Amino acid sequence: MNEKRYKTGIPTDKGSLGYYSLLDWWSDEFSKAEQSYILEKYIPMGGSNLKSGKIIDSSASAINFLNSLQSWFTNLDDEIISEKILIKAESLIKKNTSLLDIHFLYDSKINHYYKKRNIDSKFYDLAKKYCKKQIEISVIVKIAFLEEPWNLSLPSHKGYNQLAIILEKEKKYKEAIEICNEASELGWNSDWNKRIIRLNKKLEKENK
């Protein structure tokens, strides 16, 4: 059974921000300079319609929209803007939020924080936190993926992949192997067997 589609916004002529009731957030969260920069840089297919343009309906949720918006601001120079967008997106998670929307939002959160891991240790810890949060919902997200008609198999899983890398770098080989085994058993796509072989060799060497 596919995830139920809930009404995502309110018909408006004030663009995506108006449709998703985000105009107050936009005004309160971003300075005039940041607003101008975002409007200049964000040019999706079909043109930008953040603050203007008629929108009657959309299949995308507010979280999905914000996650897509954030994808235009992923370099370190834009990390403040990226952070503000991701925080707002996460604040919109409700009981009826699409599991896939949450899954992909956690993808973005992991990428955002891991990229900044060398700036401050708190970002490294946040990257691990969101890997674990994404892994916590992996079983039900797997079902949601496979129920979609366009999905014949599972894609890679950012949380499992990134946490396995992190644990290997921390020389926590046993934990990394457990993560790889869990991901492999669930069917998430990656080179899990090769990783497990490599990790086992490192574990054996460490135990000698």
Side-chain angles (χ1 to χ4, degrees), residues 30 34 37 41 70 72-87 112-113 115-116 119 122-123:
F30 298 104
E34 286 174 328
Y37 177 72
K41 186 169 183 178
Q70 184 271 341
W72 289 77
F73 303 93
T74 56
N75 62 55
L76 285 176
D77 290 338
D78 295 335
E79 64 95 7
I80 293 175
I81 289 173
S82 177
E83 176 94 354
K84 290 178 179 180
I85 297 172
L86 291 173
I87 288 173
H112 174 74
Y113 289 122
K115 189 177 295 182
K116 301 195 293 179
I119 297 175
K122 69 179 181 181
F123 297 127

Side-chain angles (χ1 to χ4, degrees), residues 6 29 39 46 73 76 110 189:
Y6 293 88
E29 199 65 48
L39 290 170
F73 303 93
L76 285 176
I110 293 166
N189 185 39

Side-chain angles (χ1 to χ4, degrees), residues 155-194:
S156 61
H157 191 288
K158 185 68 180 179
Y160 279 115
N161 274 295
Q162 192 64 70
L163 187 57
I165 291 170
I166 288 171
L167 291 171
E168 182 175 359
K169 288 184 176 181
E170 291 179 352
K171 297 185 178 180
K172 297 177 180 178
Y173 303 128
K174 186 176 180 181
E175 291 180 41
I177 291 168
E178 290 172 356
I179 284 293
C180 291
N181 277 324
E182 181 179 318
S184 179
E185 287 171 7
L186 284 172
W188 295 103
N189 185 39
S190 191
D191 56 347
W192 301 117
N193 289 335
K194 289 182 179 179

Side-chain angles (χ1 to χ4, degrees), residues 103-125:
H103 172 85
F104 288 120
L105 174 60
Y106 288 164
D107 260 14
S108 298
K109 297 279 278 191
I110 293 166
N111 286 328
H112 174 74
Y113 289 122
Y114 193 70
K115 189 177 295 182
K116 301 195 293 179
R117 66 192 181 281
N118 294 324
I119 297 175
D120 192 311
S121 61
K122 69 179 181 181
F123 297 127
Y124 182 74
D125 292 337

Side-chain angles (χ1 to χ4, degrees), residues 50-103:
L50 281 180
K51 294 184 66 179
S52 62
K54 192 171 185 178
I55 301 178
I56 303 299
D57 192 19
S58 174
S59 60
S61 67
I63 292 173
N64 182 276
F65 159 70
L66 287 170
N67 202 28
S68 296
L69 176 63
Q70 184 271 341
S71 69
W72 289 77
F73 303 93
T74 56
N75 62 55
L76 285 176
D77 290 338
D78 295 335
E79 64 95 7
I80 293 175
I81 289 173
S82 177
E83 176 94 354
K84 290 178 179 180
I85 297 172
L86 291 173
I87 288 173
K88 180 60 177 177
E90 188 170 17
S91 76
L92 298 177
I93 294 176
K94 302 290 188 294
K95 286 184 179 180
N96 62 2
T97 297
S98 161
L99 291 168
L100 296 182
D101 281 355
I102 297 172
H103 172 85

